[in-house]
């Protein structure tokens, strides 16, 4: 399942137009787990939370086990409210045995996770593959 939303215009970013792609990969044969990936790019602020929550919830609903990886490598700004929403989604997924993992590179994303304390729940993975395998970069 791959979903792409049209690129928003620079003048107005509407939550329904947030550029997110969702894909689900069945990895039962190789790793005995399922992984879904939700990709976002640009700036994520409070207006994007409903669409982000919907896409992640849909991805989580497609899995019986495993994780949803949120690919934020092309995100240059993450608001504190989005960081808090990610924490909430992670907590809601945990009782079902599902995990939410983040992949990002931009310091602004790290800053939002640091300020909200979310960094304690989201280790920094260097790639989608590393997140799927829970491989952290060397210290």
């Amino acid at each position: 399942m791959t979903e792409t939303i049209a690129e928003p215009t620079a003048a107005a970013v509407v939550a329904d137009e947030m550029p997110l792609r969702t894909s689900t990969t069945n990895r039962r044969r190789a790793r005995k787990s399922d992984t879904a990936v939700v990709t976002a790019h640009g700036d994520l602020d409070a207006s994007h939370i409903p669409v982000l929550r919907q896409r992640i919830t849909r991805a989580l609903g497609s899995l019986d086990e495993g994780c949803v990886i949120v690919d934020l490598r092309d995100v240059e700004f993450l608001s504190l409210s989005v960081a808090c929403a990610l924490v909430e989604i992670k907590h809601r997924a945990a009782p079902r045995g599902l995990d939410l993992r983040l992949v990002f590179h931009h310091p602004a994303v790290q800053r939002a996770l640091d300020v909200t304390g979310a960094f304690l729940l989201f280790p920094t993975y260097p790639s989608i593959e590393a997140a799927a395998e829970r491989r952290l970069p060397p210290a």
Side-chain angles (χ1 to χ4, degrees):
M1 166 173 86
T2 301
E3 199 172 308
T4 303
I5 303 298
E7 183 74 32
T9 62
V13 176
V14 179
D16 289 343
E17 297 176 340
M18 188 167 98
L20 287 172
R21 291 181 300 278
T22 307
S23 64
T24 304
T25 306
N26 185 345
R27 297 177 180 245
R28 283 181 202 260
R29 290 182 206 116
R31 293 193 180 87
K32 296 184 180 172
S33 67
D34 288 329
T35 302
V37 177
V38 177
T39 301
H41 56 85
D43 295 341
L44 297 182
D45 60 27
S47 69
H48 297 108
I49 292 173
V51 173
L52 184 63
R53 182 175 286 137
Q54 174 192 25
R55 300 290 162 74
I56 295 171
T57 301
R58 185 182 311 150
L60 286 165
S62 72
L63 302 175
D64 293 326
E65 60 182 16
C67 69
V68 171
I69 299 168
V70 182
D71 181 1
L72 302 172
R73 291 177 294 179
D74 292 329
V75 170
E76 297 179 6
F77 171 78
L78 185 79
S79 73
L80 300 180
S81 56
V82 173
C84 290
L86 291 169
V87 169
E88 175 197 341
I89 295 166
K90 184 174 180 78
H91 284 306
R92 287 184 180 205
R96 293 184 43 215
L98 299 171
D99 193 16
L100 186 67
R101 301 176 192 162
L102 305 181
V103 176
F104 62 90
H105 300 301
H106 203 281
V109 174
Q110 183 67 56
R111 213 170 11 259
L113 297 176
D114 290 346
V115 168
T116 60
F119 74 94
L120 297 169
L121 297 173
F122 294 108
T124 304
Y125 293 102
S127 67
I128 291 172
E129 294 78 18
E133 297 171 0
R134 287 190 157 207
R135 253 188 309 116
L136 293 173

